[in-house]
Amino acid sequence: MTLTREERQEFLAEPHIAALAVDAGDGRAPLTVPVWYHYAPGRDVWIMTGLGSRKERLIARAGRFSLLVDREAPTVRYVSVEGPVVGTEPATRRHVAEISARYLPARKVASYVEFVEKELGEQVIILMRPQRWNSADLGPV
């Protein structure tokens, strides 16, 4: 059964690991990688990635990407969203803390922020405006 607009937005706002897909061009299959993301109902989705990374370059070239999130319990449910990139900006310490707080225990956030700053290099935030949605809840299969 397809989810309502509110159900799919609420589900996407939960801290799932997303599968990001973007056109890889040159006769290749899309690049599909797991990512952390941030979303609030009615807002743009954002992801964080390394400046100049393959993911960042492909998204810049394609101008759009898709995210897919799912779960298996208590019901089999998924939401996918696709849309255009509406902005890119340098990631700040606040961005790193905000996205890591969705996925890590509170006691681990500060050390993760330090890790990103020291080990991962310059990061960027890519904002996507959800344009097309697909969703379903198959119940407790």
Side-chain angles (χ1 to χ4, degrees), residues 44-46 65-67 81-86 126-130:
D44 294 333
V45 175
W46 62 266
F65 62 92
S66 298
L67 294 177
V81 62
E82 178 259 331
V85 171
V86 295
I126 303 171
L127 293 101
M128 180 258 282
R129 175 124 333 119

Side-chain angles (χ1 to χ4, degrees), residues 10-91:
E10 288 173 15
F11 186 72
L12 188 62
E14 295 172 2
H16 303 281
I17 303 297
L20 177 143
V22 62
D23 182 12
D26 302 324
R28 296 184 65 175
L31 172 69
T32 306
V33 294
V35 295
W36 288 355
Y37 68 94
H38 192 280
Y39 176 73
R43 308 282 310 257
D44 294 333
V45 175
W46 62 266
I47 63 160
M48 187 175 72
T49 191
L51 179 65
S53 67
R54 181 170 183 236
K55 184 179 359 171
E56 190 258 342
R57 291 189 322 268
L58 290 174
I59 291 171
R61 186 173 73 192
R64 61 190 319 106
F65 62 92
S66 298
L67 294 177
L68 169 68
V69 297
D70 67 339
R71 72 166 190 219
E72 296 178 5
T75 63
V76 175
R77 178 178 278 201
Y78 78 88
V79 169
S80 69
V81 62
E82 178 259 331
V85 171
V86 295
T88 302
E89 60 189 71

